Amino acid sequence: MATPLRSEVIRLYKNLLYLGREYPKGEDYFKDRLKTAFLKNKDVTDPEKIKELIARGEYVIKELEALYYLRKYRAMKQRYYSEGNTE
């Protein structure tokens, strides 16, 4: 693997690992799935394929962030709006 892509993959892994701490099914579940996904693709050497996989990882990061924002929004909505006063 080329050096710049290697550092990018490691950065992606660390970011996903950090985001997985709040995963709804638990941190251990997320870590296991993340490790499996990265190990499955560890032998990929084609730079274009690696970039494609990095792009997929970036998409997953965006989806996780959206999931967390939605969860926080729902919690705030439940906290501040009563059942009869939903807008």
Side-chain angles (χ1 to χ4, degrees):
M1 183 185 322
T3 306
L5 290 178
R6 177 179 168 81
S7 62
E8 203 169 331
V9 169
I10 291 170
R11 180 191 53 77
L12 177 68
Y13 186 81
K14 286 181 179 181
N15 285 344
L16 284 165
L17 202 57
Y18 177 78
L19 286 172
R21 294 182 310 151
E22 297 181 34
Y23 194 69
K25 289 188 177 182
E27 183 179 3
D28 292 333
Y29 174 83
F30 188 85
K31 275 185 182 179
D32 291 340
R33 298 278 308 256
L34 180 63
K35 184 177 180 180
T36 303
F38 272 76
L39 286 177
K40 182 177 80 171
N41 295 310
K42 73 177 185 173
D43 295 325
V44 176
T45 56
D46 180 31
E48 290 303 315
K49 180 65 175 169
I50 293 171
K51 288 178 184 175
E52 203 174 288
L53 292 168
I54 290 171
R56 184 184 305 165
E58 295 291 341
Y59 175 77
V60 170
I61 286 175
K62 289 178 185 174
E63 289 294 313
L64 283 171
E65 288 173 344
L67 173 74
Y68 296 156
Y69 288 137
L70 182 62
R71 187 173 64 181
K72 288 178 184 177
Y73 169 76
R74 286 180 178 162
M76 285 178 56
K77 187 174 178 182
Q78 286 178 350
R79 211 173 283 146
Y80 295 111
Y81 293 108
S82 65
E83 289 293 320
N85 187 18
T86 56
E87 294 179 21

